[in-house]
Amino acid sequence: MAKCRVCGGKAWVYLPWTNSWFCRKHFIEYFERKVWRTFTKYVPRKHRKILLAVSGGKDSVSLLYSLAPRLIDNGYEATILYIDLGIKGYSEYGREIVVKHTDKLGIDHIIYSLDREHGFTIDMVAEKVLKKILKKPICSICGIVKRYLYNYIAYRHGYDLIVTGHTLNDVYAYMLSDLGNGDIEDLVKLKPYIPERNSLVARAKPLMFNYEYENTLYVEARGIEYLKQTCPYKLVGKKHPLIDSYKKQLIELEKKHPGIGLMFLRNMVDKIFPNIIYDREDRLKKCSLCGMPSKTDPCSFCRLKQYMLKH
Ligand code: SF4
Ligand code: ZN
Ligand code: ZN
């Protein structure tokens, strides 16, 4: 019988990259300690008012359960942000899950409706994309909306840090894609922590050293309910087939070389990034409509909003 490396009891899972077995209880401890270590190692202590972006999916509920209660126990102010994108058959379920979990844990939440606050939804955007009136893929536009709103809401409500649930698999794929494309501007955003500048609120990705598989195990170990529905635009709205290929490649690589993805990310973050000097803010203007920093004026979000309200 395989034994837990911590207590010697009956093992529940084997983690190839640690070459160890864990019982359920000690896997949960291992997971939560890892998330907390990433957070405390990379995020400066000055941040106290934290907004956690949660969609209700497996990765973000893992973030919610593993980090939010610990933040509160350690004197931080933590609020969960759910953005209702107005995707029928999807958004309402995500919202329900987020409300259920935050109520259960006694953590404050903000439910922010794109429709109520800005007068359009991703369903409306999708309709225009499918009719080829809007030329970008749905997921690219949805990505612009989410990124903008995280910052806009955090900034307006005085939060000093936005936390997202990007996993190792996500960041690994983005890193390879940015390296391949020579996109240094996006590459340097893939750090576990990006400090604030002007009205860009600081960001952290404390799950970026956790494989997606670890999140699957964590929700299973703790019996946490998460959003099982898939976004209806997931297949039609793909931003990058290349990102998917890198994700698939990582799964294959890990079979032969357990821990290769983790090693790659740790070395990028601790050895390579500190030697890259890049000042992203120099290129930013201020959007004349919303006042948020942007490469263009009006910003992409305001341009989209103007278009959606007119057409
Ligand atoms: Fe938005 Fe695409 Fe994700 Fe759906 S799959 S929530 S459209 S990014
Ligand atoms: Zn154990
Ligand atoms: Zn704007």
Side-chain angles (χ1 to χ4, degrees):
M1 180 187 83
K3 289 181 178 170
C4 168
R5 97 167 177 195
V6 184
C7 67
K10 190 172 179 260
W12 176 69
V13 69
Y14 176 69
L15 303 183
W17 57 94
T18 64
N19 194 21
S20 309
W21 291 86
F22 290 88
C23 70
R24 195 181 287 255
K25 174 174 173 253
H26 288 117
F27 168 75
I28 294 171
E29 264 183 38
Y30 153 87
F31 184 96
E32 293 179 355
R33 205 177 319 118
K34 190 171 168 188
V35 174
W36 187 243
R37 265 203 213 128
T38 305
F39 184 84
T40 50
K41 179 175 175 185
Y42 294 104
V43 176
R45 296 180 74 98
K46 64 174 182 177
H47 294 294
R48 306 310 300 174
K49 204 174 164 192
I50 300 174
L51 195 60
L52 293 93
V54 176
S55 66
K58 178 171 39 80
D59 301 330
S60 66
V61 294
S62 296
L63 175 75
L64 167 55
Y65 271 80
S66 61
L67 187 66
R70 200 143 183 182
L71 285 172
I72 291 166
D73 289 348
N74 281 275
Y76 293 88
E77 192 180 319
T79 303
I80 305 304
L81 169 65
Y82 176 78
I83 296 179
D84 184 337
L85 297 162
I87 301 173
K88 276 210 177 61
Y90 180 68
S91 295
E92 60 271 37
Y93 296 112
R95 189 178 54 217
E96 207 179 293
I97 293 219
V98 171
V99 171
K100 205 190 257 183
H101 287 317
T102 48
D103 284 353
K104 186 175 157 198
L105 294 171
I107 296 170
D108 290 342
H109 63 240
I110 297 174
I111 305 290
Y112 190 92
S113 158
L114 178 62
D115 191 15
R116 194 182 56 226
E117 303 293 335
H118 298 280
F120 70 98
T121 63
I122 294 298
D123 274 345
M124 289 156 75
V125 168
E127 204 184 304
K128 299 217 173 337
V129 173
L130 295 174
K131 284 185 187 157
K132 303 202 184 329
I133 305 170
L134 276 172
K135 303 280 185 236
K136 271 190 184 163
I138 304 166
C139 291
S140 301
I141 301 178
C142 185
I144 291 171
V145 168
K146 285 190 280 193
R147 272 193 306 278
Y148 174 87
L149 290 178
Y150 291 159
N151 193 69
Y152 177 81
I153 298 163
Y155 184 72
R156 291 287 157 110
H157 289 82
Y159 289 90
D160 58 19
L161 182 73
I162 303 161
V163 176
T164 55
H166 292 93
T167 64
L168 189 155
N169 303 56
D170 297 326
V171 179
Y172 173 89
Y174 293 141
M175 251 182 211
L176 283 182
S177 166
D178 291 340
L179 280 167
N181 291 330
D183 191 342
I184 191 159
E185 188 174 349
D186 280 352
L187 180 69
V188 294
K189 289 181 193 160
L190 295 172
K191 295 175 183 173
Y193 170 76
I194 307 168
E196 69 285 355
R197 294 191 68 179
N198 301 329
S199 34
L200 282 178
V201 177
R203 290 190 176 224
K205 298 186 263 303
L207 293 192
M208 72 173 267
F209 298 113
N210 288 55
Y211 289 98
E212 238 170 71
Y213 173 56
E214 283 175 84
N215 293 348
T216 308
L217 292 171
Y218 181 68
V219 291
E220 194 186 324
R222 291 201 54 167
I224 304 167
E225 190 190 346
Y226 62 92
L227 183 61
K228 301 264 179 18
Q229 281 83 356
T230 313
C231 172
Y233 306 121
K234 197 171 168 70
L235 291 177
V236 286
K238 271 288 164 224
K239 197 164 53 169
H240 273 312
L242 184 63
I243 295 289
D244 282 348
S245 303
Y246 281 130
K247 286 188 178 178
K248 281 185 193 138
Q249 181 208 51
L250 176 63
I251 289 168
E252 289 309 309
L253 270 176
E254 288 285 336
K255 287 180 190 161
K256 280 192 179 170
H257 309 282
I260 187 84
L262 182 60
M263 187 180 77
F264 178 80
L265 250 64
R266 288 224 183 270
N267 284 334
M268 283 296 290
V269 168
D270 294 335
K271 295 182 182 163
I272 307 292
F273 279 154
N275 290 299
I276 299 178
I277 300 159
Y278 183 78
D279 193 349
R280 66 192 173 113
E281 187 80 0
D282 279 358
R283 296 158 179 235
L284 293 182
K285 305 169 184 165
K286 199 172 183 180
C287 170
S288 52
L289 296 176
C290 68
M292 291 286 118
S294 166
K295 281 187 207 159
T296 55
D297 181 22
C299 72
S300 324
F301 180 84
C302 286
R303 260 185 298 148
L304 173 71
K305 181 174 169 176
Q306 275 184 327
Y307 177 84
M308 292 305 296
L309 297 183
K310 271 188 206 151
H311 295 82

